[in-house]
Amino acid sequence: MISKFPKVEDNNIEEVIRYNKKLLIIFSSKGCGYCQLSKNNLLEVIDNFPELAIYECMISKAPKTIARYNISSVPILKLFSDGKLVYTGFGVRNPNDLYYQLKSFFL
C-alpha cells in the first residue's frame, strides 16, 4: 500500500506542527504490518474530520524527532492542537475506537 499521507521528517516537522491548527502524525516503519493496518483504519475515518491535517513520520527518516517524542515502538499516533501535543495513541486502533477518540478533540 502506498501511503496517502504526506511525510514529515526531522527537517520539516516543526514547521508542519506550527502551520496546522489540528494535526495528527502517525509514526510508522516500512514493512510494519501493524502500521499498515493502523493507516488503513485511519483512512476509514478521516473524511469525518476535514479540519484535521494528517501526516506520516517514518521512524527511519527522523531520528531526532523519534528521540524528542520518545517513540519506542510503532504505530503511534500523536495529535497536536495549536502546536501543542494533546494526545498519544499507542498501537492499532479499530476504526470505531479511532473515530470516537478523535471526535472527543473536536467537540
Side-chain angles (χ1 to χ4, degrees), residues 90-106:
F90 299 92
V92 177
R93 300 280 191 244
N94 71 53
N96 194 43
D97 182 41
L98 188 56
Y99 170 81
Y100 284 107
Q101 286 178 336
L102 292 174
K103 187 173 173 81
S104 70
F105 291 101
F106 293 99

Side-chain angles (χ1 to χ4, degrees), residues 4-105:
K4 296 181 187 280
F5 308 121
K7 303 287 191 263
V8 291
E9 297 178 1
D10 286 341
N11 64 345
N12 67 343
I13 191 165
E14 294 306 318
E15 179 183 345
V16 168
I17 291 171
R18 274 193 312 276
Y19 178 76
N20 291 285
K21 185 171 176 63
K22 300 286 184 189
L23 169 68
L24 180 104
I25 298 176
I26 181 166
F27 291 85
S28 64
S29 178
K30 185 178 181 182
C32 169
Y34 291 116
C35 296
Q36 296 304 319
L37 181 58
S38 187
K39 290 187 277 187
N40 287 339
N41 291 349
L42 191 53
L43 286 170
E44 287 188 38
V45 299
I46 60 172
D47 289 342
N48 295 293
F49 304 98
E51 67 278 25
L52 181 62
I54 302 173
Y55 283 76
E56 180 178 10
C57 182
M58 299 298 287
I59 60 170
S60 61
K61 305 261 182 171
K64 292 177 185 174
T65 300
I66 299 316
R68 178 173 184 201
Y69 291 104
N70 299 312
I71 306 297
S72 59
S73 65
V74 291
I76 289 182
L77 302 174
K78 293 212 178 261
L79 182 65
F80 296 84
S81 180
D82 296 319
K84 296 187 183 346
L85 179 62
V86 295
Y87 171 78
T88 299
F90 299 92
V92 177
R93 300 280 191 244
N94 71 53
N96 194 43
D97 182 41
L98 188 56
Y99 170 81
Y100 284 107
Q101 286 178 336
L102 292 174
K103 187 173 173 81
S104 70
F105 291 101

